[in-house]
Amino acid sequence: MENKRHHEWIWLQQESNHQSSLPPLCIQIPIRKAKNLFHNGKMTISFGKQKLEVVVDMHHYHNPFYICSSDIYTTLQLPKGAPLKAMYCKKNHTITIGPIMGVLTDSKTLNGHSFSTIDNFCRELTEVGKKKGLFTFIYSYHTLKNKQYYGYYFANEHWHRIRSVKPHFLYNRIHSRNIIHSATYKRFVQYINKQIPQFNKRFFSKQELYDYIDAFPLVNYLPKGTRWNKDNFHQFLHTYNAFLAKPVYGSQGRGIFRITKTRNNIIIETFTKDFKKFANENDAWNFLQNKLKTDYILQEELSLLSINGKLIDFRVLTHLQPNHQWKVTSVTARVSDNHFMTNLSRGGTTASAKKILLQLFEKDKALFIYQLMEELAIAVSCQLDRKRENTFIELGIDIAVLKDGKLKIIEVNSKPSKNEHRNFKGVRPSAKAIVEIARAKGMEWMEETCPCKVLESSH
């Protein structure tokens, strides 16, 4: 805490056309601040590895911004337009521009000036970030793993590629499981963790959900589940009329099988809506054993709510706040396309969670269920955060509401889809939440890694 007194957070702004009277490489500051903010009439401004010595000009004005001559922006290649947040260190008389948030994707190149499914979301992060003083750059894993900090920033309705700077906060949106499970990625994470605070860098497996939520009362909200093996398969056949086989590391409904036991047959339905019938348990086991090439779990099928035969579950988004508390940012109903899965990638659609509940329950009960979903999602987020400290800032929690109104946790996603609100007008709440935590953690990181700490430790 001692170190924080050495730092002051300020706003910089480029001189406007009618102000173009500043000398070269000059920063103009209010005279009331001047005695604290410069040394011998000069100071250093840094942006990444670039450093620039500038002249300080005192001025009698009440503008909260510190005005920079245009050549400062040009020399440091700073994005023009919005004011810039920066940290002034009173010990080494340096202004460091930031914080900077990096969004890490697995896109190799920018295809047609778009980041595919997260393009709109990245634009929203940029828009909110500008208002909050947070730079947002989009980085490709394929360049960052080679320690090349080339990034994209959004301006004038286009993405611009520049040789960027090392961010102070990294929000990992890599979706490729092949990348995340590779040895190269593991080495990359080890390197980055020493350089930058990085969040949501890994997936939650379905087995981990059972491993981490292992205590009363949360454990009561989990469906019955167990590891895939022959004994457990036969046990589930004799216990449940229907159950699911799910890949431990699966996503978007891929690889899921639904097993239903009737009087005469065992029916296996695939995620592609194909059906197979078997007369006995061993034939059904042999079929699945040949199909399941990775680790799987077995999970009881839940009696989900439905409307017109279409199953419904709910996606609750939660985010970590700067005060280290979790909050719910959105609750969305997902409606299946006459299938046993509600995933949007399998033809599902989204709807208002409250409207769906009000259609199916009396008002008081509907609102009670909605509130309970939010409380359950926060409790799950806190539990997982305790188990995997400093790992996640965002979670997507899939919750089933059963026909009797009880809740069950279906699964937790550490990289929730950004298509859930594709029809949302304006900036979605999750973008605002991520900017808030990125800004707070980025500022903390800048203060903790300021060179003045080295000066302190040497005395």
Side-chain angles (χ1 to χ4, degrees), residues 12 16 20-22 25 49 64 89 133 140 148 173 183 218 238 240 263 265 311 333 360 371 410 418-419 437 458:
L12 306 179
S16 61
S20 298
S21 58
L22 289 178
L25 300 180
K49 292 184 178 180
C89 179
S140 168
Q148 297 175 356
R173 288 295 307 180
L218 281 182
H238 290 276
Y240 304 104
R263 180 177 297 180
N265 296 292
L311 299 177
L360 297 168
Q371 181 180 346
I410 300 174
K418 294 307 171 187
N419 289 327
I437 190 65
S458 64

Side-chain angles (χ1 to χ4, degrees), residues 415-430:
K415 294 174 184 288
S417 167
K418 294 307 171 187
N419 289 327
E420 303 280 340
H421 297 90
R422 53 192 166 194
N423 297 320
F424 189 87
K425 294 181 179 179
V427 176
R428 69 196 93 186
S430 61

Side-chain angles (χ1 to χ4, degrees), residues 4 6 12 19 24 57 74 101 106 108 111 146 184 209 239 249 258 295 300 339 348 353 363 372 399 403 443:
K4 292 190 177 182
H6 303 154
L12 306 179
Q19 292 174 321
D57 177 50
T74 303
M101 174 172 70
D106 45 18
K108 289 187 177 180
N111 183 17
N146 296 320
T184 302
L209 186 61
T239 307
Y249 296 103
R258 179 174 184 255
D295 292 337
E300 67 169 313
H339 195 225
K363 182 178 179 181
L372 189 58
I399 295 177
K403 293 176 181 178
M443 290 170 67

Side-chain angles (χ1 to χ4, degrees), residues 107-116 119 152:
S107 300
K108 289 187 177 180
T109 58
L110 188 63
N111 183 17
H113 301 289
S114 171
F115 282 105
S116 186
D119 188 80
Y152 293 87

Side-chain angles (χ1 to χ4, degrees), residues 28-226:
Q28 191 177 73
I29 65 177
I31 194 167
R32 68 184 188 280
K33 292 280 188 179
K35 62 181 180 179
N36 296 322
L37 284 177
F38 76 98
H39 179 65
N40 296 328
K42 293 184 178 180
M43 63 169 58
T44 300
I45 298 182
S46 71
F47 184 55
K49 292 184 178 180
Q50 300 181 86
K51 292 185 178 180
L52 196 62
E53 189 174 81
V54 299
V55 176
V56 175
D57 177 50
M58 295 176 289
H59 199 276
H60 292 277
Y61 64 80
H62 299 287
N63 190 329
F65 301 110
Y66 304 131
I67 309 301
C68 296
S69 58
S70 295
D71 53 354
I72 292 176
Y73 273 67
T74 303
T75 305
L76 295 178
Q77 296 182 298
L78 297 174
K80 298 178 181 180
L84 307 176
K85 198 165 188 65
M87 180 186 76
Y88 179 73
C89 179
K90 300 172 186 176
K91 279 211 160 188
N92 58 26
H93 308 289
T94 297
I95 291 176
T96 304
I97 296 171
I100 299 166
M101 174 172 70
V103 180
L104 185 62
T105 77
D106 45 18
S107 300
K108 289 187 177 180
T109 58
L110 188 63
N111 183 17
H113 301 289
S114 171
F115 282 105
S116 186
T117 58
I118 63 167
D119 188 80
N120 285 339
F121 188 69
C122 289
R123 295 184 187 208
E124 291 170 30
L125 291 173
T126 302
E127 180 183 336
V128 179
K130 281 181 180 178
K131 296 175 182 177
K132 297 289 185 178
L134 179 76
F135 278 106
T136 302
F137 287 101
I138 316 301
Y139 297 90
S140 168
Y141 163 72
H142 302 280
T143 55
L144 203 58
K145 71 179 180 180
N146 296 320
K147 304 176 186 177
Q148 297 175 356
Y149 288 92
Y150 286 97
Y152 293 87
Y153 75 95
F154 192 74
N156 301 320
E157 297 302 313
H158 291 286
W159 290 106
H160 303 269
R161 185 176 188 264
I162 64 169
R163 183 172 181 82
S164 184
V165 297
K166 187 184 296 183
H168 305 110
F169 178 97
L170 198 60
Y171 170 48
N172 189 314
R173 288 295 307 180
I174 294 176
H175 274 279
S176 169
R177 291 175 185 268
N178 288 335
I179 288 176
I180 285 182
H181 293 149
S182 69
T184 302
Y185 180 79
K186 290 179 173 64
R187 289 193 296 271
F188 165 78
V189 167
Q190 289 176 350
Y191 166 75
I192 286 293
N193 285 347
K194 296 176 183 177
Q195 306 290 321
I196 310 164
Q198 182 185 190
F199 294 87
N200 292 67
K201 57 182 173 284
R202 67 188 298 274
F203 288 103
F204 262 122
S205 76
K206 292 175 179 62
Q207 183 60 51
E208 282 178 309
L209 186 61
Y210 286 90
D211 294 340
Y212 293 160
I213 299 179
D214 55 358
F216 179 83
L218 281 182
V219 70
N220 291 338
Y221 289 94
L222 287 176
K224 298 300 181 184
T226 188

